[in-house]
């Protein structure tokens, strides 16, 4: 083996080693943060050779010059893509390794004038030179995946600009010189021992078709332009075109979802100054089966494992997010209708105890009225829109906006402070290819003008009763246990034949002096036994809590298929930073709806969380740890408002 070929094999080994180490580092980094997509593909590799060179000048006849040639080999590729790594959002870092065959065949035809002599007229000689190199090459590439279209022919379409370094693993050549007149031929063979390392500028177009939520079929067309010569002292370049088909899998990091409901404190209450009450149900219960299976009457038994339940009170101040116009600033309409749906509150009234942003959306018109009433110089713009399809006429968009204006005027807002517009589609439309997207486009968007920033973060007092119920459950047969549930209010456990457990309930208090705690046994969705225990609130000593953060779950919404931080979102983030204490850590959870490609939705979750984290880091002290995680949206996808709220981030503030 020649020294030159050994050199390039060594370079190839170094290239693969660097690829492997970088992949480990990047995958590790991605797993700590969000996700990594791995891709494997195979397909034909077309080599296009250009240049102007002579080969094997020792041949008996001239060999060349060779100017062009081509060949077809096989390409095997592996890629790793890192959505939102290093803070990139619309550019996804991409790292790949490719092993490919790189054959070619050059042909040069030369006419040699005939020499004199003989009785017949001299005949020119036609000499055909054929040069056929055959190489295998390993190529490492670094680039970006740039999403272009979310849904093109059933899946996302993206561009992949990149740079690449290649090194020849093996190489040999064959050269034939044939005299077509005499039939004489000369064949030479040898090793390509003077090859050079290759550098490429590349561009690829990738299309994906989803197979399931984490796997896609890929089609990739890639062109690479060679920046240097293949061999030393030869004007010879080898450009490439590759078409490959493969599979792309998305690996998400394990993350703990931010709880979307109120949770009981994890610490144990101080036992003194608490009320304890007994709870026991021991009855023979006859149960009628609600399924095809007949259940034999058995005995259900619940007895406290400790003999008593525990209750205590916490009170003080807490931070809360005010879910109003800052979240979903729109009114959604039914198909072919300009009537505001009955789910919306159209008369000013209090919305006490409304803590869910989805429930708060019903008060969007009341919130708009309150903002305009409290800010006499403020105005609003109502822009009605149609679905864009479904044969909805433009006058329907105008009628929807006019209907919202009529309701606001009826509440007491001067008509001159309300501007009405109409569009075929909203300014930021949803995907009309889906029925859910068309339903979201049937709306009136609300824009406030000359109004101060909407207040989003508030501090309020609270008083909460915590109840802890321990229980034991025994059943005489497995069939009975399969259909049994222990419940305290809306908090429940599905129990088995022999189960011990704890049920906690959290109850917000107003001015009550006593409160009843209801417990029940349910079999086959039918309440079979129940009991009620009364708690005297005045007998409990309250624990004082200052600036409680357990229920502070601010949410910021993004437009469809977007991860861009709007000016409104940045203002809301500033309010959050101003309100929270410094001795905290922050988790930002990116979410999305379920429409379109699962891979694109995963990218959006990562981008949204990363963008918010990057902005918050510019506002927070460096001592605050900000990390991100991703997951599906927690709101119902059955309504437009629920899908809007799923295109969001939610912030969890963790005291140290």
């Amino acid at each position: 083996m020649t020294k030159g070929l050994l050199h390039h094999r060594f370079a190839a080994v170094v290239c693969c080693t660097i690829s492997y180490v970088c992949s480990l580092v990047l995958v590790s980094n991605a797993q700590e943060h969000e996700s990594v997509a791995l891709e494997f593909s195979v397909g034909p590799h077309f080599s296009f050779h250009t240049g102007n060179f002579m080969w094997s000048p020792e041949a008996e006849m001239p060999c060349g010059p060779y100017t062009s040639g081509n060949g077809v080999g096989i390409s095997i590729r592996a890629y790793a893509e890192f959505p939102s790594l290093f803070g990139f959002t619309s550019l996804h870092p991409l790292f790949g390794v490719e092993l490919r065959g790189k054959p070619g065949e050059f042909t040069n035809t030369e006419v040699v004038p005939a020499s004199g002599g003989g009785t017949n007229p001299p005949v020119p000689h036609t000499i055909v030179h054929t040069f056929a190199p055959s190489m295998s090459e390993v190529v490492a590439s670094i680039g970006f995946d740039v999403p272009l279209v979310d849904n093109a022919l059933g899946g996302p379409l993206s561009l992949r600009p990149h740079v690449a370094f290649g090194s020849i693993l093996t190489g040999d050549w064959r050269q034939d010189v044939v005299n077509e007149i005499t039939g004489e031929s000369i064949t030479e063979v040898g090793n390509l021992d003077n090859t050079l390392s290759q550098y490429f500028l590349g561009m690829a177009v990738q299309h994906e078709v989803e197979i399931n939520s984490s796997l896609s079929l890929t089609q990739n067309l890639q062109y690479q332009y060679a920046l240097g010569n293949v061999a030393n002292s030869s004007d010879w370049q080898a450009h490439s075109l590759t078409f490959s088909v493969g599979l792309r899998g998305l690996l998400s990091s394990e993350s703990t979802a931010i709880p979307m409901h109120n949770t009981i404190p994890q610490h144990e209450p101080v036992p003194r100054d608490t009320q304890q009450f007994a709870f026991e149900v021991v009855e023979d219960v006859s149960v009628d089966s609600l399924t095809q299976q007949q259940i034999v009457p058995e005995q259900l038994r619940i007895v406290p494992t400790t003999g008593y339940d525990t209750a205590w009170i916490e009170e003080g101040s807490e931070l809360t997010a005010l879910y109003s116009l800052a979240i979903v600033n729109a009114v959604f309409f039914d198909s072919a209708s300009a009537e505001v749906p009955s789910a919306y509150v159209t008369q000013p009234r209090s919305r006490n105890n409304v803590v869910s942003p989805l429930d708060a959306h019903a008060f969007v018109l009341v919130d708009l009225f309150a903002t305009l009433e409290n800010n006499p110089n403020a105005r609003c713009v109502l822009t009605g829109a149609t679905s864009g399809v479904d044969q909805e006429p433009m006058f329907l968009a105008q009628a929807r906006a006019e209907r919202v204006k009529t309701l606001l005027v009826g509440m007491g807002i001067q008509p001159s402070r309300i501007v009405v517009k109409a569009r075929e589609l909203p300014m930021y439309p949803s995907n009309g290819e889906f029925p859910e997207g068309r339903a979201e486009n049937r709306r009136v968007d609300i824009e406030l003008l000359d109004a101060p920033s909407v207040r989003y973060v508030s501090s309020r007092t609270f008083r909460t009763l915590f109840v802890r119920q321990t229980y034991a459950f025994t059943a005489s047969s497995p069939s009975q246990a399969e259909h049994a549930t222990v419940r305290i209010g809306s908090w429940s456990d599905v129990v088995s034949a022999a189960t011990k457990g704890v049920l906690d309930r959290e109850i917000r208090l107003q001015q009550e002096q006593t409160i009843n705690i209801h417990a029940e046994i349910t079999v086959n969705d039918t309440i079979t036994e129940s009991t009620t225990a009364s708690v005297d609130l005045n007998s409990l000593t309250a624990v004082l809590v200052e600036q409680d953060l357990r229920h502070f779950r601010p949410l910021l919404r993004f437009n469809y298929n977007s991860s861009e931080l709007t000016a409104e979102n940045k203002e809301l983030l500033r309010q959050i930073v101003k309100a929270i204490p410094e001795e905290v850590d922050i988790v930002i959870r990116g979410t999305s709806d379920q429409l379109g490609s699962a891979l694109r939705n995963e990218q959006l979750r990562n981008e949204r969380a990363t963008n918010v984290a990057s902005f918050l880091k510019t506002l927070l002290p460096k001592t605050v740890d900000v990390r991100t995680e991703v997951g599906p949206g927690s709101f119902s996808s059955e309504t437009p408002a629920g899908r809007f709220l799923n295109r969001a981030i939610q912030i969890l503030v963790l005291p140290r």
Side-chain angles (χ1 to χ4, degrees), residues 430-555:
S430 298
N431 192 338
E433 296 181 7
F434 302 99
E436 297 90 345
R438 296 192 289 273
E440 293 169 19
N441 290 336
R442 294 191 290 265
R443 68 180 191 249
V444 172
D445 285 321
I446 300 169
E447 180 184 6
L448 279 170
L449 303 177
D450 302 326
S453 299
V454 176
R455 188 183 179 193
Y456 186 45
V457 180
S458 177
S459 179
R460 66 183 180 188
T461 59
F462 77 97
R463 188 167 182 253
T464 301
L465 170 67
F466 293 96
V467 176
R468 177 162 292 166
Q469 169 76 56
T470 56
Y471 65 87
F473 174 83
T474 57
S476 300
S477 71
S479 61
Q480 184 187 53
E482 289 177 357
H483 302 82
T485 302
V486 177
R487 186 185 309 275
I488 299 179
S490 60
W491 301 73
S492 63
D493 271 354
V494 177
V495 298
S496 58
T499 299
K500 294 182 180 180
V502 176
L503 274 180
D504 291 323
R505 188 182 178 193
E506 178 179 343
I507 305 171
R508 286 292 172 129
L509 302 175
Q510 299 297 324
Q511 302 297 323
E512 300 92 340
Q513 301 299 314
T514 61
I515 195 166
N516 294 327
I517 306 300
H518 183 73
E520 64 189 33
I521 304 169
T522 302
V523 178
N524 281 330
D525 298 326
T526 300
I527 298 175
T528 60
E529 289 295 329
S530 64
T531 188
T532 301
S534 180
V535 181
D536 181 7
L537 300 180
N538 292 324
S539 66
L540 303 179
T541 300
V543 178
L544 182 62
V545 179
E546 294 185 6
Q547 203 172 30
D548 186 37
L549 297 170
R550 282 171 295 183
H551 304 116
F552 187 53
R553 301 287 189 272
L555 179 147

Side-chain angles (χ1 to χ4, degrees), residues 324-331 361 364 443-448 557 559 644:
S324 58
L325 287 176
I327 305 302
V328 181
N329 53 339
V331 177
H361 176 66
V364 62
R443 68 180 191 249
V444 172
D445 285 321
I446 300 169
E447 180 184 6
L448 279 170
R557 188 182 65 81
N559 290 319
F644 265 48

Side-chain angles (χ1 to χ4, degrees), residues 60-61 125-128 176-187:
E60 295 183 8
M61 292 186 178
H125 290 247
T126 302
I127 309 299
V128 178
D176 298 316
V177 182
V178 179
N179 187 325
E180 292 189 341
I181 302 300
T182 65
E184 297 176 348
S185 66
I186 299 174
T187 298

Side-chain angles (χ1 to χ4, degrees), residues 585-588 609 612-614 616-617 620-621 624-628:
D585 294 321
I586 291 178
V587 178
I588 301 168
V612 172
S614 298
L616 281 179
K617 288 177 181 177
L620 291 165
V624 177
D625 179 44
V626 180
R627 64 181 178 89
T628 62

Side-chain angles (χ1 to χ4, degrees), residues 232-298:
N232 190 26
S233 302
S234 296
D235 182 13
W236 171 17
Q237 301 85 41
H239 314 294
S240 68
L241 180 69
T242 306
F243 175 75
S244 62
V245 176
L247 294 175
R248 181 178 189 271
L250 189 66
L251 307 178
S252 296
S253 62
E254 295 294 332
S255 61
T256 303
I258 296 176
M260 301 303 173
H261 55 77
N262 296 340
T263 55
I264 203 80
Q266 296 303 307
H267 60 271
E268 291 289 339
V270 180
R272 59 187 178 87
D273 297 327
T274 62
Q275 178 180 351
Q276 297 179 323
F277 54 92
F279 169 75
E280 183 173 357
V281 177
V282 182
E283 296 288 345
D284 290 335
V285 182
S286 296
V287 181
D288 294 328
S289 173
L290 301 183
T291 66
Q292 298 297 322
Q293 177 184 6
Q294 185 67 31
I295 298 180
V296 179
E298 301 288 355

